[in-house]
Amino acid sequence: MSNVDSTSRPGSLVIAVDGTSGSGKSSTSRGVADRLGLRYLDTGAMFRAMTWWLLREGVDVRDEAAVAAAAGRPAIESGTDPLAPTITVDGTDVSVAIRSDEVNAAVSPVSAVPEVRARLLDLQRTVIGAGGIVVEGRDIGSVVWPQAEVKVYLSADPDARAQRRTAEQGGTDVASTQQSLLERDRIDSGRATAPLTMAEGAVHVDSTHLTLAEVIDEIVALATGADRA
Ligand code: DC
């Protein structure tokens, strides 16, 4: 059922993991990459890095024209080791700063701006082009790399997602975390350019009642099948 490409060879395998905010894409993708000896790319971190930079530059993130005009300026670089992924903007490590509430609140509108998407799409395709990688995001299987050998659409109930995300951040306010996740889902799914959607050929994995290890096992099994084809 996976989108098997008969020309795939070990080392060139691309696994696309798309899904809603907080569905476990990062832990899952990193775990799969580690198990299979692949690289890992967090495209959400790239949109977050762009957003962090716009906020720091004082660009009004609700002003689409201003965001579009600035989108070409920051140099964004992703390190692809699944055990220690990194993200830098103009050489500054922003791994922690991009998880702030300010970035959470602004990243979906920024991600809806076509010039932002076009800029990051180029960077994403350059990294993915070397092959052997697990890529997580919203539009990887549909737009960024539709030829991925394995495509997964990861989802989980909003309650489960909010509980997990709150625990991850060491917080206690599950309700407000859930509200923030759902608001991002709403904008990410409703935007005109590359909305969050289940790509053609994607396998839907609902992680609500699965452990992380079970989800990783399921995707590793899909990938192993795709590589043998
Ligand atoms: O996966 P994340 O929560 O870190 O992603 C942050 C935001 O980035 C998300 O709300 C939408 C955007 N995003 C996107 O538009 N396309 C992607 N491929 C990845 C993320």
Side-chain angles (χ1 to χ4, degrees):
M1 276 183 6
S2 59
N3 182 30
V4 176
D5 172 359
S6 60
T7 63
S8 73
R9 0 172 209 100
S12 69
L13 183 68
V14 177
I15 302 178
V17 181
D18 291 304
T20 49
S21 297
S23 56
K25 293 190 301 297
S26 295
S27 313
T28 302
S29 301
R30 292 174 63 180
V32 170
D34 185 36
R35 282 265 294 276
L36 296 174
L38 300 173
R39 298 177 301 142
Y40 160 72
L41 180 64
D42 176 0
T43 61
M46 300 170 89
F47 286 94
R48 289 173 175 275
M50 174 71 77
T51 305
W52 173 87
W53 179 85
L54 290 164
L55 291 168
R56 200 201 57 176
E57 292 296 299
V59 175
D60 176 359
V61 291
R62 308 274 157 180
D63 179 345
E64 199 178 317
V67 169
R73 286 172 47 209
I76 296 172
E77 278 186 49
S78 306
T80 57
D81 177 349
L83 299 180
T86 56
I87 180 98
T88 64
V89 180
D90 296 331
T92 301
D93 182 340
V94 292
S95 321
V96 174
I98 60 170
R99 309 284 162 194
S100 68
D101 288 343
E102 291 72 24
V103 172
N104 280 339
V107 67
S108 284
V110 166
S111 308
V113 176
E115 287 80 358
V116 168
R117 303 205 70 80
R119 169 88 204 289
L120 297 183
L121 182 63
D122 277 352
L123 295 178
Q124 290 158 10
R125 286 188 173 154
T126 302
V127 176
I128 298 168
I133 193 161
V134 182
V135 189
E136 66 154 286
R138 302 291 188 292
D139 60 341
I140 309 307
S142 57
V143 172
V144 177
W145 210 260
Q147 66 271 48
E149 284 80 3
V150 179
K151 299 183 194 183
V152 175
Y153 183 84
L154 196 58
S155 70
D157 286 353
D159 277 353
R161 294 193 277 136
Q163 304 266 9
R164 287 182 201 156
R165 187 47 69 88
T166 310
E168 248 167 47
Q169 293 169 339
T172 50
D173 193 347
V174 180
S176 86
T177 304
Q178 181 159 335
Q179 203 181 6
S180 154
L181 291 175
L182 291 177
E183 176 62 3
R184 275 188 288 143
D185 287 353
R186 188 184 66 73
I187 302 175
D188 297 343
S189 305
R191 70 182 172 224
T193 311
L196 168 64
T197 176
M198 189 162 140
E200 209 186 308
V203 176
H204 183 186
V205 178
D206 181 344
S207 72
T208 308
H209 302 294
L210 298 177
T211 64
L212 176 60
E214 287 169 333
V215 181
I216 293 172
D217 284 348
E218 195 165 332
I219 300 175
V220 167
L222 288 170
T224 308
D227 245 6
R228 276 205 212 98

